[in-house]
């Protein structure tokens, strides 16, 4: 049950681009981590590049530009480093394929937590005592 936030700006950030980025991240999660295809919870936010509401630099030699996309994924702990690396790679490739975003501009972070840290509605912690994904 990942929760995804995508923040993007630059030329061409519109509903279609945000939707394409959301699909790219979701498809990558399904393909690399085995997330159920109907398990999509995303917040997609467009930022006005003229006002500069996102900040970035060329850290670690990665040259970024106004096509930057920040992807923050919260999910339950337990994936191996290899699976996480496969996820990062697949998100970058699908963001390029679906939304025309250069892979160097795809910045991804994962935040892991436990089953007790989720309520999927009705004020319940549905994953407590459950072995589901």
């Amino acid at each position: 049950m990942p929760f995804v936030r995508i923040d993007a700006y630059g030329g061409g950030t519109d509903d279609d681009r945000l939707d394409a980025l959301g699909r790219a991240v979701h498809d990558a999660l399904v393909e690399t981590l085995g997330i159920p295809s109907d398990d999509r919870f995303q917040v997609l936010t467009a930022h006005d590049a003229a006002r500069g509401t996102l900040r970035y630099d060329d850290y670690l030699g990665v040259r970024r530009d106004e096509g930057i996309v920040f992807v923050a994924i919260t999910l339950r702990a337990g994936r191996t480093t290899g699976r996480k690396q496969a996820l990062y790679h697949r998100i970058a490739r699908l963001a390029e394929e679906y939304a025309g975003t250069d892979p160097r501009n795809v910045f991804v972070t994962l935040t892991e937590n436990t089953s007790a840290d989720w309520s999927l509605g009705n004020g319940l912690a549905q994953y407590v005592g459950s072995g589901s994904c």
Side-chain angles (χ1 to χ4, degrees):
M1 162 55 202
F3 177 72
V4 176
R5 276 198 68 99
I6 299 174
D7 291 89
Y9 77 51
T13 297
D14 55 23
D15 289 343
D16 290 339
R17 179 168 182 245
L18 284 172
D19 182 63
L21 290 166
R23 285 186 296 112
V25 172
H26 182 71
D27 288 355
L29 285 163
V30 170
E31 292 174 23
T32 62
L33 301 186
I35 302 302
S37 61
D38 64 344
D39 187 353
R40 182 189 314 227
F41 297 90
Q42 301 179 333
V43 176
L44 311 174
T45 306
H47 295 265
D48 181 354
R51 293 188 300 170
T53 56
L54 298 179
R55 305 286 187 269
Y56 60 90
D57 280 312
D58 294 338
Y59 185 63
L60 294 178
V62 179
R63 300 212 28 99
R64 296 168 186 86
D65 60 31
E66 292 79 20
I68 189 84
V69 174
F70 291 101
V71 179
I73 302 170
T74 303
L75 70 169
R76 291 188 294 161
R79 277 60 177 214
T80 65
T81 297
R83 289 186 78 184
K84 291 174 187 179
Q85 289 172 312
L87 174 65
Y88 305 145
H89 179 78
R90 193 65 180 142
I91 289 172
R93 294 298 163 223
L94 290 178
E96 181 178 38
E97 180 182 334
Y98 294 3
T101 299
D102 191 314
R104 68 186 165 84
N105 278 322
V106 180
F107 184 102
V108 181
T109 64
L110 297 182
T111 302
E112 296 179 312
N113 58 25
T114 68
S115 295
D117 297 316
W118 295 88
S119 174
L120 309 179
N122 294 321
L124 303 173
Q126 286 87 349
Y127 289 141
V128 173
S130 170
S132 63
C133 294

mmCIF file of all heavy atoms in Angstrom, residues 24 27 33 108:
data_model
loop_
_atom_site.group_PDB
_atom_site.id
_atom_site.type_symbol
_atom_site.label_atom_id
_atom_site.label_comp_id
_atom_site.label_asym_id
_atom_site.label_seq_id
_atom_site.Cartn_x
_atom_site.Cartn_y
_atom_site.Cartn_z
ATOM 1 N N ALA A 24 3.461 6.201 -14.591
ATOM 2 C CA ALA A 24 4.819 5.656 -14.622
ATOM 3 C C ALA A 24 5.219 5.106 -13.259
ATOM 4 O O ALA A 24 5.742 3.980 -13.153
ATOM 5 C CB ALA A 24 5.805 6.738 -15.078
ATOM 6 N N ASP A 27 2.972 1.966 -12.424
ATOM 7 C CA ASP A 27 3.369 0.784 -13.197
ATOM 8 C C ASP A 27 4.697 0.224 -12.706
ATOM 9 O O ASP A 27 4.873 -0.993 -12.626
ATOM 10 C CB ASP A 27 3.455 1.125 -14.689
ATOM 11 C CG ASP A 27 2.078 1.320 -15.323
ATOM 12 O OD1 ASP A 27 1.048 1.097 -14.643
ATOM 13 O OD2 ASP A 27 2.042 1.707 -16.511
ATOM 14 N N LEU A 33 7.834 -4.253 -7.465
ATOM 15 C CA LEU A 33 7.566 -4.623 -6.079
ATOM 16 C C LEU A 33 6.337 -5.505 -5.905
ATOM 17 O O LEU A 33 6.017 -5.912 -4.790
ATOM 18 C CB LEU A 33 7.422 -3.368 -5.202
ATOM 19 C CG LEU A 33 8.612 -2.414 -5.146
ATOM 20 C CD1 LEU A 33 8.354 -1.311 -4.126
ATOM 21 C CD2 LEU A 33 9.909 -3.140 -4.844
ATOM 22 N N VAL A 108 13.838 10.368 -6.624
ATOM 23 C CA VAL A 108 12.932 9.472 -5.900
ATOM 24 C C VAL A 108 13.427 9.256 -4.476
ATOM 25 O O VAL A 108 14.618 9.031 -4.262
ATOM 26 C CB VAL A 108 12.831 8.101 -6.606
ATOM 27 C CG1 VAL A 108 11.865 7.174 -5.857
ATOM 28 C CG2 VAL A 108 12.407 8.249 -8.054
#
